Structures are given as structure tokens and as C-alpha cells.
Amino acid sequence: MSSRCRWLLAVSLLGLAGTALAQDIPANMPKRKPGLWEMQTSGMGGQPQTTKICLDADTDTAMYKMGTHMSGQMCSTFKIDVQGNKVLTDAVCKINAPSGTVNMSSHSETTYQGDTAYSTQGNIKYDPAVMGHSEMAMTSSGHWVGQCAAGQKPGDMLMPNGQTFNIKDMPGH
């Protein structure tokens, strides 16, 4: 996947997930089980991308705070509606792309299967189009794998390219 496609995928994921993090964690938000999670994301007709992350309650909170910081700077509108095991999100954001400012609107629905799995279906619209895409369907799913591996600490994320970093070390945390 080219770096331009990775950029578009990252912006799209922000549309699906980051905007859902743009406010305090709703009290009735489903919780994820601590341990090692594997997450797959696909869109743009490319191969699914798989990441793994070691989570605990503090790491989930840190991810929400990071999303709050990023979304608060870019999104003028966001709405989170938790309905039992479903989380519906809608957002309108302005993103600084390599080609200039892009208006992005997104809608996603995440369904949790207890505290060990979730799946997200989303649609993102871009104006103007980004790399020829004015609309994109995205999917994301995650499931609990087990305990974090020996030597892993909460926040350690293994990217599809094999690179590992800790999300708590990222700016905005």
C-alpha cells in the first residue's frame, strides 16, 4: 500500500473511530476486556490491515483522550449515541490534506459482542475528493486474543509493517 493510500486510510479511520472519541467516554459505552487485541481494517478495495495492541483500562482511556485532542481541533460536529451494545457516531470535520483542506463527514455503527469483540461499518464522504475518492466504505473489527505477550506493556501496538510503538508515547497523550 502506497504512503498516499496509507494517509487516506488513516484519515478515514479517524472518521470512523477518532470522532467517536471526541468527547468524554459515555457512561454506558461498552468496555473492552484487558489484554491483547487484534484489529482488522479495510477500505478502498485494498487488503485488510491488521494491527495488535495490548490494552488495559488506562490505555483505553488514553486512546479516548488522544482522540478528544485530535477531533477537538478538526471536527465541528460529532454525535455519539450508545444504544445497548451499539455505538452510532456521526461527525463533520475539516482535515488538512497534502492537497489542501478537505471537508469530511462520516457515519459509523459499531456493534460489540460482549467485551471480547466488536465490528464497525462506516461510510465517509470527502469534499473535495481525496485521491479520486469522494466516498468510501470502511470496515473495522477487533477481537480479544488473550493475555498480552511477555514483554508487552499496555499501549504497545504492532503495526501491519512490523513496527511497534506505544500509543502513550504519541503527541496528544
Side-chain angles (χ1 to χ4, degrees), residues 6-159:
R6 279 192 292 272
W7 176 87
L8 183 56
L9 183 60
V11 167
S12 299
L13 291 176
L14 176 63
L16 285 178
T19 55
L21 308 176
Q23 54 186 311
D24 290 336
I25 303 169
N28 59 343
M29 183 75 135
K31 307 283 188 244
R32 293 188 288 178
K33 184 175 184 172
L36 186 62
W37 280 75
E38 183 175 278
M39 299 167 288
Q40 269 198 339
T41 304
S42 62
M44 298 175 22
Q47 293 292 335
Q49 298 291 305
T50 302
T51 58
K52 290 184 179 181
I53 185 168
C54 178
L55 287 178
D56 63 2
D58 289 340
T59 303
D60 258 350
T61 300
M63 291 172 72
Y64 277 96
K65 287 180 181 178
M66 201 166 45
T68 299
H69 176 73
M70 290 188 318
S71 298
Q73 293 176 348
M74 295 185 293
C75 300
S76 61
T77 303
F78 52 83
K79 179 183 174 195
I80 301 174
D81 185 16
V82 179
Q83 301 173 355
N85 69 333
K86 269 194 185 196
V87 178
L88 310 173
T89 62
D90 292 283
V92 177
C93 307
K94 282 190 183 216
I95 302 197
N96 293 322
S99 59
T101 301
V102 175
N103 295 305
M104 181 186 78
S105 62
S106 67
H107 172 79
S108 66
E109 297 182 13
T110 301
T111 303
Y112 288 82
Q113 294 87 39
D115 64 353
T116 59
Y118 68 87
S119 61
T120 301
Q121 304 291 317
N123 188 52
I124 301 163
K125 294 180 181 178
Y126 303 102
D127 182 25
V130 175
M131 294 171 29
H133 295 275
S134 60
E135 191 167 348
M136 183 184 318
M138 298 287 296
T139 61
S140 178
S141 63
H143 67 276
W144 186 78
V145 176
Q147 299 302 315
C148 294
Q152 276 188 321
K153 60 185 181 194
D156 282 351
M157 182 177 276
L158 176 61
M159 301 303 292

